[in-house]
């Protein structure tokens, strides 16, 4: 009885037979789980459907087309090969095959850059919109129509460039511009006419400046020329200004770009304007005549602004020991540092001993006196120990202010060098440098530039062959330059350079005789001490002395002494001033 009562009481508390609250909560959670499972199953089915759809037809082709388009835009030959299939083998084409097929067409089109858009379907086909930026034909827009095999892009030549049809390749017909003339400062042609037949009223006298043209050597260089729109065998500048300003002189080619027999684009050739230089036609002819076919070089500069007025022979490329012409630099360093003054006197001697090694004067002659007299007679016995007194740091710094160890300012010229101070480890090395021997190398252009700085009161103007000079730099104090001018005038008045003198034009300068061999021997045969083939002959100078217009330097390789052979050549060039200063005309 009691048990039955408790049950009925419990039933009464639960609300007339309704399930308890705990049961309702359990049922709700179960229903929620069923809904989540149903949602997950739906999402899975949708994902599977998407995968199945992507695996079928056009969507997979769009993915393949996009991969190919990205590879094409980068011009990545390896990626292009991976993204395509060769119809001949049903495999990816070799990279070499892709390169042969595509690169030839890119070069033909003068392609610079290729922009490729996203693939799109049109009329059941997949295409890639593209923009080709070419050097000759400008910007070309079009589509690259893709074909497929097993949902992979089918490789073919038409894929290389927008607008091509299946099987088509690019070809072109060139229209070439006339090569620009190279002019002297007064308009006289130094080089004119077509690339294969240049000429000048100066004849062969213009060649040291203008240089020559010839077809390129090497497959890569010829390919680059073809990519610029020219035939790969087209003559180009190989030396001189023709080479230095090749791109400017050849102009822009034109032509017709063809896809098979269809015209894709046309372009007119654009010749470049004439290239006007600072060369003086009269001085150029005089320099070449004075050199007379000998192996050497002559550089002539405007003494005021460094403009190149004439170049003959190896004036730009022939770097040789400058010998005693480098004493201009050594004297400048001594005067700037106060190590010596023009009136200082030095003992007369036949040689100086540095580190126990004798450094003799020319012909073992006794030499000395004031600094001016020692400079005029080019005394090694004075300037070798003077270099040691100056010190490596000051000597090298002076040389660098005067243009050594700097990039050559004129196209085609080599850099003239002096050892760094840290490399001059002994007094003997420093002494050899001070007299222009050892490891010092200079071109005629570089030493003409040193001379120009002295003539322009210490302001060095970088040599240049095109109008528009840079601002000159202070290389020496005006006082040092004035002292050097007087010393260089003494060289021609009573020193080693008297054979450079003219009766009507005052010339100042410095001779140099650079030794090329440590011992006078060749093929086991003893040579005479005065054998001219053992030395380079130099003369650097400026004129007129009181109002300098020209600065020049003459180098004659293995030609003896500077005073005997180079100074008379300089006199010939300076003689043009006696007939009227060509370099003093309106600039």
């Amino acid at each position: 009885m009691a048990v039955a009562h408790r049950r009925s009481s419990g039933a009464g508390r639960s609300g007339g037979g309704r399930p308890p609250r705990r049961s309702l909560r359990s049922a709700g959670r179960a229903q929620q789980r069923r809904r989540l499972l149903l949602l997950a199953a739906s999402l899975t089915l949708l994902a599977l459907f998407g995968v199945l759809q992507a695996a079928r037809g056009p969507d997979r082709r769009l993915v393949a087309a996009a991969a190919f388009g990205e590879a094409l835009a980068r011009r990545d030959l390896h990626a292009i090969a991976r993204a395509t299939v060769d119809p001949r083998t049903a495999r990816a084409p070799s990279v070499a095959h892709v390169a042969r097929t595509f690169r030839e067409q890119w070069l033909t089109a003068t392609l610079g850059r290729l922009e490729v858009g996203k693939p799109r379907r049109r009329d059941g086909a997949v295409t890639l919109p593209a923009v080709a930026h070419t050097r000759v034909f400008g910007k070309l827009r079009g589509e690259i129509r893709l074909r497929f095999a097993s949902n992979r892009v089918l490789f073919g030549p038409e894929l290389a460039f927008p607008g091509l049809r299946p099987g088509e390749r690019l070809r072109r017909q060139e229209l070439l511009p006339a090569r620009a003339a190279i002019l002297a400062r007064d308009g006289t042609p130094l080089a004119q006419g077509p690339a294969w037949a240049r000429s000048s009223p100066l004849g062969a006298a213009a060649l040291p400046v203008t240089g020559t043209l010839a077809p390129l050597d090497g497959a890569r260089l010829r390919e680059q020329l073809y990519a610029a729109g020219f035939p790969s065998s087209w003559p180009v500048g190989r030396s001189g200004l023709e080479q230095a300003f090749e791109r400017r002189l050849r102009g822009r080619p034109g032509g017709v770009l063809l896809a098979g027999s269809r015209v894709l684009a046309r372009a007119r050739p654009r010749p470049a304007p004439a290239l006007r230089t600072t060369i003086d036609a009269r001085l150029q002819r005089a320099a070449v005549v004075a050199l007379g076919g000998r192996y050497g070089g002559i550089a002539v500069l405007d003494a005021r602004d460094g403009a190149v007025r004439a170049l003959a022979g190896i004036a730009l490329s022939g770097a040789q020991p400058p010998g005693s012409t480098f004493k201009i630099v050594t004297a400048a360093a001594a005067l700037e540092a106060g190590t010596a003054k023009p009136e200082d006197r030095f003992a007369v001697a036949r040689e100086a001993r540095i580190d126990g090694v004798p450094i003799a004067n020319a012909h073992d002659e006794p030499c000395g006196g004031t600094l001016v007299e020692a400079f005029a007679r080019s005394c090694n016995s004075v300037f070798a120990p003077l270099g040691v007194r100056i010190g490596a740091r000051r000597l090298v710094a002076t040389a660098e202010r005067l243009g050594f160890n700097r990039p050559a300012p004129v196209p085609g010229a080599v850099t003239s060098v002096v050892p760094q101070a840290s490399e001059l480890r002994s007094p003997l090395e420093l002494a050899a440098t001070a007299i222009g021997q050892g490891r010092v190398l200079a071109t005629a252009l570089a030493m003409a530039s040193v001379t120009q700085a002295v003539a322009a009161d210490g302001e060095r103007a970088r040599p240049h062959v095109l109008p528009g000079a840079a601002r000159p730099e202070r290389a020496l104090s005006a006082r040092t330059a004035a002292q050097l001018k007087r010393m260089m005038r003494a060289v021609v008045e009573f020193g080693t350079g008297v054979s450079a003198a003219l009766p009507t034009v005052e010339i100042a300068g410095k001779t140099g005789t650079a030794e090329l061999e440590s011992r006078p021997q060749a093929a086991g045969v003893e040579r005479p001490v005065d054998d001219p083939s053992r030395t380079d002959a130099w003369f650097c100078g400026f004129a007129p002395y009181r109002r300098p217009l020209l600065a020049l330097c003459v180098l004659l390789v293995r030609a003896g002494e500077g005073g005997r052979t180079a100074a008379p050549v300089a006199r010939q060039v300076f003689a043009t001033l006696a007939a009227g200063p060509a370099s003093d005309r309106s600039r």
Side-chain angles (χ1 to χ4, degrees), residues 141-192:
R141 299 178 182 272
E143 290 186 332
I144 300 171
R145 193 177 183 88
L146 305 180
R147 296 179 295 159
F148 293 86
S150 301
N151 293 322
R152 293 181 66 188
V153 176
L154 200 61
F155 183 78
E158 69 275 5
L159 301 181
F161 200 80
L164 294 178
R165 295 171 183 170
E168 284 185 334
R169 292 174 180 266
L170 293 173
R171 60 190 183 92
R172 78 177 185 225
Q173 297 170 353
E174 288 122 352
L175 296 173
L176 302 174
R179 191 172 180 87
I182 301 174
L183 306 178
R185 62 196 297 251
D186 64 356
T188 300
L190 300 173
Q192 62 184 346

Side-chain angles (χ1 to χ4, degrees), residues 424-450:
L424 298 173
R425 297 184 178 90
S426 69
L428 182 61
E429 288 179 300
L430 182 52
T433 300
I435 61 172
Q437 297 284 169
R439 289 173 286 161
V440 185
L441 292 173
T443 62
L445 176 69
M447 292 309 301
S449 182
V450 170

Side-chain angles (χ1 to χ4, degrees), residues 168-468:
E168 284 185 334
R169 292 174 180 266
L170 293 173
R171 60 190 183 92
R172 78 177 185 225
Q173 297 170 353
E174 288 122 352
L175 296 173
L176 302 174
R179 191 172 180 87
I182 301 174
L183 306 178
R185 62 196 297 251
D186 64 356
T188 300
L190 300 173
Q192 62 184 346
W196 59 88
R198 302 285 265 175
S199 63
S200 169
L202 274 66
L207 286 178
V209 173
T210 61
T212 58
L213 294 98
L216 286 167
D217 300 322
R220 184 171 181 79
L221 293 175
R222 293 165 71 90
E223 183 181 273
Q224 290 173 354
L225 183 63
Y226 182 70
F230 291 86
S232 59
S233 59
W234 192 247
V236 299
R238 303 299 297 273
S239 61
L241 297 182
E242 297 278 21
Q243 181 182 40
F245 297 100
E246 167 62 27
R247 291 180 182 272
R248 181 168 172 177
L249 291 168
R250 70 190 183 198
R252 200 182 83 177
V256 181
L257 184 65
L258 299 150
S261 59
R262 297 184 301 115
V263 175
L264 290 185
R266 299 178 186 272
R268 292 181 179 178
R270 294 185 183 179
L275 180 71
R276 189 176 290 270
T277 71
T278 62
I279 298 297
D280 186 293
R282 185 155 66 105
L283 285 169
Q284 179 63 30
R285 186 182 287 109
V288 172
V289 169
L291 189 59
R294 286 171 287 193
Y295 187 56
I298 301 175
V300 184
L301 304 180
D302 189 303
R304 299 158 295 186
D305 66 6
V308 177
R309 296 298 183 218
L311 295 170
I314 58 170
L316 300 180
S317 59
Q320 296 285 107
S324 292
T325 59
F326 193 79
K327 289 172 183 172
I328 301 172
V329 177
T330 304
L335 293 168
E336 291 275 85
T339 305
K341 297 187 290 294
E343 62 273 15
D344 287 351
R345 300 196 67 84
F346 298 86
V348 175
R350 297 180 184 274
E351 64 181 35
R353 285 191 171 267
I354 310 293
D355 288 344
V357 177
I359 297 180
N361 296 320
H363 308 293
D364 294 321
E365 293 177 351
C367 198
T370 66
L371 183 65
V372 174
E373 292 169 336
F375 185 87
R377 297 190 174 97
S378 202
C379 301
N380 289 340
S381 59
V382 171
F383 277 86
L386 183 60
V388 177
R389 286 173 55 194
I390 294 166
R393 184 178 58 81
R394 282 199 180 102
L395 182 62
V396 172
T398 303
E400 290 180 340
R401 288 199 305 274
L402 290 166
F404 281 80
N405 295 342
R406 293 190 183 187
V410 174
V414 302
T415 299
S416 295
V417 296
V418 63
Q420 295 293 331
S422 60
E423 297 172 346
L424 298 173
R425 297 184 178 90
S426 69
L428 182 61
E429 288 179 300
L430 182 52
T433 300
I435 61 172
Q437 297 284 169
R439 289 173 286 161
V440 185
L441 292 173
T443 62
L445 176 69
M447 292 309 301
S449 182
V450 170
T451 306
Q452 178 273 322
V454 175
D457 300 324
E459 291 194 335
R460 177 179 175 268
R462 285 170 58 87
H464 54 281
V465 292
L466 300 184

Side-chain angles (χ1 to χ4, degrees), residues 13-15 18-29:
R13 286 195 302 272
S14 66
R18 288 182 297 177
R21 292 179 181 176
R22 184 179 297 172
S23 299
L24 286 171
R25 286 196 297 271
S26 299
R29 283 196 294 271

Side-chain angles (χ1 to χ4, degrees), residues 64-84 98-99 101-103 105-106 111-118 127-133 142-146 153-164 170:
F68 170 76
E70 291 173 3
L72 183 64
R74 298 195 310 269
R75 284 193 270 177
D76 185 334
L77 299 176
H78 290 269
I80 290 172
R82 289 193 301 269
T84 57
V98 174
T101 305
F102 278 28
R103 290 192 74 251
Q105 301 199 81
W106 292 337
L111 183 64
R113 182 164 53 93
L114 188 61
E115 296 177 2
V116 181
K118 294 181 179 180
T127 61
L128 288 169
V131 181
H133 299 261
E143 290 186 332
I144 300 171
R145 193 177 183 88
L146 305 180
V153 176
L154 200 61
F155 183 78
E158 69 275 5
L159 301 181
F161 200 80
L164 294 178
L170 293 173

